[in-house]
Amino acid sequence: MYDIPIYSPAIVAVEPVIVRFNGTLDFPSIYRGPPSPEIDAAWARIAQDVLPTRMSLEDFVKAGEVDSPSKVKYPATYGGGLVVSMEAYHQLHCLNLLRKVTWPEYYRPTDTSLEVIPMHLDHCIEMIRQNIMCNADVTMITWDWVQGLETTYPNFNTRHQCRNFEKILDWAVHAVHIPQSVVTRFEDTVDIPLPFHLMHHDV
Protein backbone atom coordinates (compact mmCIF):
# COMPACT_ATOMS: atom_id res chain seq x y z
CA MET A 1 0.00 0.00 0.00
CA TYR A 2 1.32 3.44 -0.88
CA ASP A 3 0.80 6.19 1.67
CA ILE A 4 2.37 9.64 1.79
CA PRO A 5 3.34 10.13 5.43
CA ILE A 6 1.96 13.40 6.77
CA TYR A 7 2.90 13.79 10.42
CA SER A 8 0.18 14.12 13.04
CA PRO A 9 0.51 13.89 16.81
CA ALA A 10 -2.38 11.42 16.65
CA ILE A 11 -0.39 8.99 14.49
CA VAL A 12 0.40 7.03 17.67
CA ALA A 13 -3.29 6.10 17.86
CA VAL A 14 -3.54 4.75 14.31
CA GLU A 15 -4.18 1.02 14.39
CA PRO A 16 -5.15 -0.88 11.21
CA VAL A 17 -8.25 -3.02 11.48
CA ILE A 18 -10.39 -4.98 9.02
CA VAL A 19 -14.06 -4.00 9.21
CA ARG A 20 -16.98 -5.52 7.33
CA PHE A 21 -19.31 -2.69 6.37
CA ASN A 22 -23.04 -3.22 6.72
CA GLY A 23 -24.56 -1.70 3.61
CA THR A 24 -28.00 -3.25 3.96
CA LEU A 25 -30.56 -0.56 3.12
CA ASP A 26 -32.55 -1.03 6.34
CA PHE A 27 -29.60 -1.79 8.64
CA PRO A 28 -30.60 -0.45 12.10
CA SER A 29 -27.50 1.62 12.82
CA ILE A 30 -27.37 3.81 15.95
CA TYR A 31 -26.47 6.71 13.63
CA ARG A 32 -29.49 6.60 11.32
CA GLY A 33 -33.26 6.93 11.38
CA PRO A 34 -35.76 9.52 12.58
CA PRO A 35 -34.25 11.98 15.09
CA SER A 36 -34.19 10.92 18.72
CA PRO A 37 -32.16 11.74 21.83
CA GLU A 38 -30.36 8.39 21.41
CA ILE A 39 -29.31 9.13 17.82
CA ASP A 40 -28.23 12.65 18.75
CA ALA A 41 -26.13 11.23 21.61
CA ALA A 42 -24.46 8.73 19.27
CA TRP A 43 -23.53 11.51 16.82
CA ALA A 44 -22.43 13.87 19.61
CA ARG A 45 -19.94 11.23 20.74
CA ILE A 46 -18.19 10.91 17.36
CA ALA A 47 -18.78 14.40 15.93
CA GLN A 48 -18.20 16.39 19.08
CA ASP A 49 -17.03 19.96 19.18
CA VAL A 50 -13.47 20.47 18.06
CA LEU A 51 -11.04 19.45 20.78
CA PRO A 52 -7.96 21.63 20.28
CA THR A 53 -4.63 20.15 21.23
CA ARG A 54 -1.00 21.08 20.69
CA MET A 55 1.46 20.35 17.89
CA SER A 56 5.05 21.46 18.10
CA LEU A 57 6.29 23.90 15.48
CA GLU A 58 9.05 21.43 14.59
CA ASP A 59 6.51 18.68 13.85
CA PHE A 60 4.38 21.15 11.87
CA VAL A 61 7.34 21.97 9.64
CA LYS A 62 8.26 18.26 9.47
CA ALA A 63 4.77 17.64 8.09
CA GLY A 64 5.66 19.85 5.14
CA GLU A 65 3.78 22.94 6.29
CA VAL A 66 5.04 26.52 6.55
CA ASP A 67 4.78 28.58 9.71
CA SER A 68 3.23 32.02 9.43
CA PRO A 69 2.46 34.88 11.83
CA SER A 70 -1.27 34.16 11.47
CA LYS A 71 -1.04 30.70 13.08
CA VAL A 72 -2.60 30.48 16.54
CA LYS A 73 0.02 29.41 19.07
CA TYR A 74 0.10 28.64 22.77
CA PRO A 75 2.19 30.85 25.07
CA ALA A 76 5.58 29.46 26.09
CA THR A 77 4.28 29.18 29.67
CA TYR A 78 1.91 26.45 28.39
CA GLY A 79 4.55 24.67 26.33
CA GLY A 80 4.24 26.70 23.13
CA GLY A 81 3.35 25.02 19.86
CA LEU A 82 0.42 25.41 17.50
CA VAL A 83 -3.26 25.09 18.35
CA VAL A 84 -4.48 22.15 16.23
CA SER A 85 -7.54 19.93 15.91
CA MET A 86 -8.24 16.67 14.10
CA GLU A 87 -9.69 16.65 10.58
CA ALA A 88 -11.82 13.56 11.26
CA TYR A 89 -13.95 15.55 13.70
CA HIS A 90 -14.56 18.25 11.11
CA GLN A 91 -15.61 15.67 8.52
CA LEU A 92 -18.02 14.01 10.95
CA HIS A 93 -19.36 17.44 11.94
CA CYS A 94 -20.09 18.04 8.26
CA LEU A 95 -21.79 14.67 7.84
CA ASN A 96 -23.88 15.32 10.95
CA LEU A 97 -24.93 18.67 9.49
CA LEU A 98 -26.10 16.93 6.31
CA ARG A 99 -28.04 14.47 8.47
CA LYS A 100 -29.76 17.27 10.37
CA VAL A 101 -30.69 19.08 7.16
CA THR A 102 -32.75 16.02 6.15
CA TRP A 103 -34.89 16.51 9.28
CA PRO A 104 -35.46 20.32 9.28
CA GLU A 105 -38.76 20.20 11.15
CA TYR A 106 -36.99 18.55 14.09
CA TYR A 107 -33.67 20.43 14.20
CA ARG A 108 -34.24 23.89 12.73
CA PRO A 109 -36.27 25.30 15.67
CA THR A 110 -33.44 24.68 18.18
CA ASP A 111 -30.23 24.41 16.13
CA THR A 112 -28.96 27.89 15.27
CA SER A 113 -26.29 26.46 12.93
CA LEU A 114 -29.07 25.56 10.50
CA GLU A 115 -30.13 29.20 10.18
CA VAL A 116 -27.11 30.10 8.02
CA ILE A 117 -26.98 26.91 6.03
CA PRO A 118 -26.35 27.47 2.28
CA MET A 119 -22.61 28.13 2.14
CA HIS A 120 -21.89 26.01 5.22
CA LEU A 121 -23.65 23.06 3.61
CA ASP A 122 -21.85 23.62 0.32
CA HIS A 123 -18.53 23.74 2.18
CA CYS A 124 -19.31 20.45 3.94
CA ILE A 125 -20.24 18.65 0.73
CA GLU A 126 -17.02 19.88 -0.87
CA MET A 127 -14.87 18.78 2.10
CA ILE A 128 -16.46 15.31 2.14
CA ARG A 129 -15.95 15.02 -1.64
CA GLN A 130 -12.27 15.90 -1.31
CA ASN A 131 -11.81 13.40 1.51
CA ILE A 132 -13.52 10.55 -0.36
CA MET A 133 -11.38 11.19 -3.44
CA CYS A 134 -8.23 11.59 -1.32
CA ASN A 135 -8.82 8.26 0.42
CA ALA A 136 -10.30 6.52 -2.63
CA ASP A 137 -11.49 3.14 -1.36
CA VAL A 138 -10.64 0.48 -3.93
CA THR A 139 -12.52 -2.33 -2.15
CA MET A 140 -14.50 -4.33 -4.70
CA ILE A 141 -18.28 -4.64 -4.41
CA THR A 142 -19.81 -7.86 -5.76
CA TRP A 143 -23.25 -8.14 -7.39
CA ASP A 144 -25.86 -10.83 -6.77
CA TRP A 145 -28.96 -12.22 -8.38
CA VAL A 146 -31.77 -11.60 -5.89
CA GLN A 147 -35.06 -13.45 -5.63
CA GLY A 148 -37.94 -11.30 -6.84
CA LEU A 149 -35.73 -8.87 -8.74
CA GLU A 150 -35.10 -8.96 -12.46
CA THR A 151 -31.86 -7.00 -12.21
CA THR A 152 -28.68 -7.69 -10.28
CA TYR A 153 -28.10 -6.00 -6.91
CA PRO A 154 -24.85 -4.74 -5.31
CA ASN A 155 -23.65 -6.31 -2.06
CA PHE A 156 -22.28 -3.47 0.07
CA ASN A 157 -21.46 -5.78 3.00
CA THR A 158 -17.76 -5.88 2.18
CA ARG A 159 -14.53 -6.03 4.21
CA HIS A 160 -12.49 -2.82 4.34
CA GLN A 161 -9.06 -1.82 5.59
CA CYS A 162 -9.86 0.78 8.25
CA ARG A 163 -8.36 2.60 11.18
CA ASN A 164 -9.58 1.75 14.66
CA PHE A 165 -11.74 4.82 15.25
CA GLU A 166 -12.33 4.03 18.92
CA LYS A 167 -8.57 4.16 19.56
CA ILE A 168 -8.29 7.51 17.74
CA LEU A 169 -11.30 8.84 19.65
CA ASP A 170 -9.72 7.76 22.92
CA TRP A 171 -6.48 9.54 21.98
CA ALA A 172 -8.37 12.75 21.15
CA VAL A 173 -10.32 12.70 24.39
CA HIS A 174 -7.20 12.12 26.49
CA ALA A 175 -4.81 14.41 24.58
CA VAL A 176 -3.53 17.54 26.31
CA HIS A 177 -6.25 20.15 26.02
CA ILE A 178 -5.29 23.67 27.03
CA PRO A 179 -8.10 26.12 27.89
CA GLN A 180 -9.03 28.44 25.02
CA SER A 181 -8.77 31.32 27.48
CA VAL A 182 -4.95 31.07 27.53
CA VAL A 183 -4.70 31.54 23.76
CA THR A 184 -3.58 35.12 23.18
CA ARG A 185 -2.32 37.16 20.26
CA PHE A 186 1.44 37.64 20.06
CA GLU A 187 2.94 41.01 19.15
CA ASP A 188 4.00 39.77 15.73
CA THR A 189 0.62 38.18 14.91
CA VAL A 190 -0.69 38.95 11.42
CA ASP A 191 -4.33 38.34 10.48
CA ILE A 192 -5.27 36.54 7.28
CA PRO A 193 -7.92 38.31 5.13
CA LEU A 194 -11.50 37.94 6.32
CA PRO A 195 -13.11 35.03 4.43
CA PHE A 196 -15.84 36.10 2.02
CA HIS A 197 -18.55 34.04 3.74
CA LEU A 198 -17.85 35.69 7.10
CA MET A 199 -17.81 39.11 5.50
CA HIS A 200 -21.36 38.55 4.29
CA HIS A 201 -22.60 36.51 7.26
CA ASP A 202 -24.03 33.71 5.13
CA VAL A 203 -21.89 30.72 6.16
Side-chain angles (χ1 to χ4, degrees), residues 164-202:
N164 185 337
F165 185 77
E166 290 299 321
K167 188 170 181 180
I168 293 172
L169 183 65
D170 183 68
W171 179 91
V173 169
H174 293 98
V176 176
H177 301 295
I178 301 172
Q180 185 69 24
S181 59
V182 307
V183 177
T184 56
R185 293 175 61 91
F186 291 92
E187 288 184 10
D188 61 347
T189 296
V190 175
D191 294 336
I192 62 172
L194 183 68
F196 178 84
H197 67 278
L198 294 180
M199 192 183 309
H200 295 273
H201 307 292
D202 57 353

Side-chain angles (χ1 to χ4, degrees), residues 135-157:
N135 297 290
D137 190 340
V138 295
T139 302
M140 297 298 167
I141 296 170
T142 58
W143 292 67
D144 296 303
W145 293 104
V146 180
Q147 184 178 9
L149 296 181
E150 294 193 9
T151 59
T152 56
Y153 196 80
N155 178 2
F156 296 112
N157 302 321

Side-chain angles (χ1 to χ4, degrees), residues 46-173:
I46 64 169
Q48 56 193 290
D49 291 334
V50 174
L51 292 173
T53 188
R54 178 176 40 226
M55 183 176 187
S56 74
L57 185 56
E58 293 75 19
D59 285 339
F60 182 69
V61 173
K62 185 169 67 177
E65 300 294 344
V66 179
D67 185 26
S68 78
S70 67
K71 298 296 179 203
V72 180
K73 299 181 176 83
Y74 289 114
T77 52
Y78 284 87
L82 299 167
V83 177
V84 294
S85 55
M86 203 182 314
E87 177 66 34
Y89 282 131
H90 176 238
Q91 294 160 6
L92 287 167
H93 154 79
C94 276
L95 196 58
N96 194 28
L97 179 66
L98 290 171
R99 178 188 71 88
K100 288 181 176 181
V101 166
T102 64
W103 302 96
E105 68 286 348
Y106 183 89
Y107 290 106
R108 193 173 291 276
T110 57
D111 193 333
T112 56
S113 69
L114 299 182
E115 295 174 5
V116 286
I117 200 69
M119 192 172 288
H120 192 178
L121 188 59
D122 202 37
H123 156 78
C124 279
I125 292 170
E126 177 61 10
M127 292 303 295
I128 292 171
R129 178 201 65 78
Q130 290 183 53
N131 188 260
I132 290 172
M133 291 178 71
C134 174
N135 297 290
D137 190 340
V138 295
T139 302
M140 297 298 167
I141 296 170
T142 58
W143 292 67
D144 296 303
W145 293 104
V146 180
Q147 184 178 9
L149 296 181
E150 294 193 9
T151 59
T152 56
Y153 196 80
N155 178 2
F156 296 112
N157 302 321
T158 49
R159 296 167 73 242
H160 294 254
Q161 174 69 58
C162 301
R163 290 177 172 182
N164 185 337
F165 185 77
E166 290 299 321
K167 188 170 181 180
I168 293 172
L169 183 65
D170 183 68
W171 179 91
V173 169

